[in-house]
Amino acid sequence: MKAYILKLTFEDINPLVWRRVILPAGATFNRLHETIQYATNFQSEISPYHSFGVEIEDNFITNNEAILDEYKGKKYVGRTVKQPTRIKIDSFLEKHGQFIYNYDFGDDWRICVKLEETVEDYYFGYPTLLEGEGTAPPEDVGGPPGYKEFLKVLQDSTHPDYLSTYAWAEGQLYLPLDIEKIKEYLKIVKYKKTEWQYIDHENYFVLSDKYRGTDWIDLDVLPNKDLLIRYAVACVNLYGSIEYPKLMEIYNSQNTPSVSSSELHDLLTNPLYEKQLEEKYVFVYENALIHKTMEEFEDQTQFIQSVVGKPFYVPGKKELLRYTDEFYYEKTSHQEKLAKMLEKDFFGGSKFTVKKEIKELVLELQVVHANVQQVLQKFLTRFQMKDMEHLNEYAQMIFDIANNTRIWENRGHTPEELFQMEKHYLKPMPSTSLNVIDGGKTGRNDPCLCGSGKKYKKCCGK
């Protein structure tokens, strides 16, 4: 079957973004449009609000309904308006070698479509993405100038608009290039009959092909399987839940060789490795992994949706893999200060007992939807404070620890970190001290100021 290998290159943006695709001859301009949409982060196939246009020879080929209606039988930009579903790209490619695909007349994206090679040995009735480079811009970012500013903000976590920009980008499905996933999407753009008689396949399962590779994932030869499982466990322990694309992105950013989305999916859903995950309290949930604790919630999807828009805290490889231990937590100076206070005031210098106290406290603060006031109350009722000043000192320290504890609701970030990223987005937990009354003393029969609801003499005043 005759087919064209095309290179699609975004113009006027940096870093360079390009895709190389192969598609059977006979594609209309509309089929080319669909191919480009699936090969990028554009979404007109999902939300058909934006149109495209190609100016070539005496033609303006577009799917813009307003232009098609208004300029029927007339000239637009000096050219005859034509529908993309009726004109094939073949003769224009072979004659000119390249042309510009203009998408979204507001943002004005320009993609150079260049013919690199014509082949006769492609047998699939739909396009295939062969390779590419760069994350394609999101929809409605404002064209090349807007994209430049978008990247400037997204690459600077100290920018006041960082969190809102990150949330917007996630909502726009701004995703890194995933060749395997796009190859699956492009099967939808089918306009010719696949010639299976020329393809090495078994029951339409491709065993090997020059252009599409293979549908077979041989887990026996997949490198770093145990490391991939460790990453899955560590990420779930750190985030509570993680979708496959993000897990793949994190793993590939820290390891070689990289893993593809299809390889990762087959590994995580393989019964042998799925059992290994479950032994670590990690479970497959739709296109994500979740911690067993999530089963206690009525709607796991609700939690997953509640964290959308918050950036992931991604530590280095060594630190990240420490989270394979479900009880691991990052040590902070606030914890050390509290430990010294406890050693001095209540445990006679016993570091082992104090270590257990700090661990229990941090793990309680990490619980989903943890009530810091209740954790504080529980902690304070176990110790006899000398006075309200002493009580306030401990209360303040626990709030400081809470503000600097990595939690699932923040995708591994601490409340303080998100607060510093964008101060109007999320405030850290309150750290106001407990009020001292009656000249610094609390009456024995007064309500305890730790918030327990008990009398002082029955609570912190014991």
Side-chain angles (χ1 to χ4, degrees), residues 243-391:
E243 294 183 331
Y244 293 170
K246 190 63 184 182
L247 174 59
M248 182 179 72
E249 178 187 340
I250 292 174
Y251 177 85
N252 287 342
S253 70
Q254 298 181 348
N255 298 278
T256 55
S258 61
V259 63
S260 71
S261 56
S262 55
E263 289 172 334
L264 183 63
H265 177 273
D266 281 20
L267 177 70
L268 298 179
T269 56
N270 178 275
L272 174 63
Y273 296 102
E274 195 170 0
K275 182 179 180 181
Q276 290 183 18
L277 290 172
E278 291 178 357
E279 290 173 351
K280 296 293 184 178
Y281 307 109
V282 175
F283 293 82
V284 175
Y285 177 74
E286 296 180 353
N287 194 39
L289 297 173
I290 63 171
H291 195 276
K292 187 178 188 298
T293 305
M294 290 295 175
E295 293 184 340
E296 298 176 7
F297 297 94
E298 294 183 0
D299 189 353
Q300 294 95 337
T301 302
Q302 185 176 2
F303 172 82
I304 293 173
Q305 292 175 344
S306 72
V307 300
V308 170
K310 296 179 183 178
F312 285 83
Y313 160 72
V314 184
K317 179 176 180 178
K318 184 177 180 180
E319 174 67 12
L320 177 57
L321 289 177
R322 288 193 175 107
Y323 285 91
T324 53
D325 176 359
E326 64 175 318
F327 298 113
Y328 172 77
Y329 59 90
E330 186 178 299
K331 308 305 185 291
T332 68
S333 60
H334 302 288
Q335 297 166 17
E336 292 177 5
K337 186 174 179 180
L338 178 61
K340 290 179 180 179
M341 291 166 59
L342 289 171
E343 287 176 29
K344 177 184 175 183
D345 296 337
F346 302 107
F347 293 99
S350 173
K351 295 183 181 295
F352 177 76
T353 305
V354 169
K355 185 177 179 180
K356 290 177 62 178
E357 291 286 343
I358 298 297
K359 181 177 182 178
E360 181 179 343
L361 173 64
V362 174
L363 293 178
E364 287 182 350
L365 291 170
Q366 287 180 328
V367 172
V368 177
H369 307 316
N371 186 315
V372 181
Q373 289 286 354
Q374 291 180 1
V375 175
L376 171 64
Q377 173 189 328
K378 179 181 177 182
F379 184 87
L380 293 178
T381 54
R382 290 166 42 227
F383 302 100
Q384 185 173 352
M385 302 295 170
K386 293 182 294 186
D387 50 34
M388 284 304 300
E389 183 178 356
H390 199 219
L391 184 66

Side-chain angles (χ1 to χ4, degrees), residues 127-196:
T128 293
L129 176 62
L130 302 176
E131 55 184 333
E133 184 177 332
T135 301
E139 195 81 79
D140 294 327
V141 76
Y147 185 53
K148 181 178 180 180
E149 290 303 310
F150 166 81
L151 290 179
K152 180 180 178 181
V153 174
L154 203 61
Q155 294 166 0
D156 180 10
S157 62
T158 65
H159 195 286
D161 296 327
Y162 173 74
L163 285 184
S164 58
T165 300
Y166 185 98
W168 177 84
E170 189 168 357
Q172 292 295 98
L173 303 181
Y174 178 64
L175 298 170
L177 173 62
D178 184 342
I179 291 179
E180 293 299 318
K181 192 172 184 178
I182 292 173
K183 283 169 64 176
E184 287 302 304
Y185 286 156
L186 287 174
K187 289 181 179 180
I188 298 173
V189 190
K190 185 174 182 179
Y191 53 93
K192 278 199 169 182
K193 185 177 180 180
T194 297
E195 299 175 348
W196 288 105

Side-chain angles (χ1 to χ4, degrees), residues 11-12 29 32-33 36-37 42 50-55 60-64 67 76-77 99-113 144:
E11 295 197 335
D12 305 318
F29 277 89
L32 174 65
H33 164 66
I36 293 174
Q37 292 290 297
F42 294 146
H50 303 306
S51 53
F52 78 93
V54 174
E55 298 180 26
F60 183 78
I61 303 166
T62 183
N63 63 347
N64 186 289
I67 294 176
Y76 178 79
V77 293
F99 53 80
I100 297 296
Y101 163 92
N102 181 213
Y103 174 68
D104 184 354
F105 301 153
D107 278 6
D108 194 29
W109 296 106
R110 295 171 62 82
I111 296 177
C112 179
V113 179

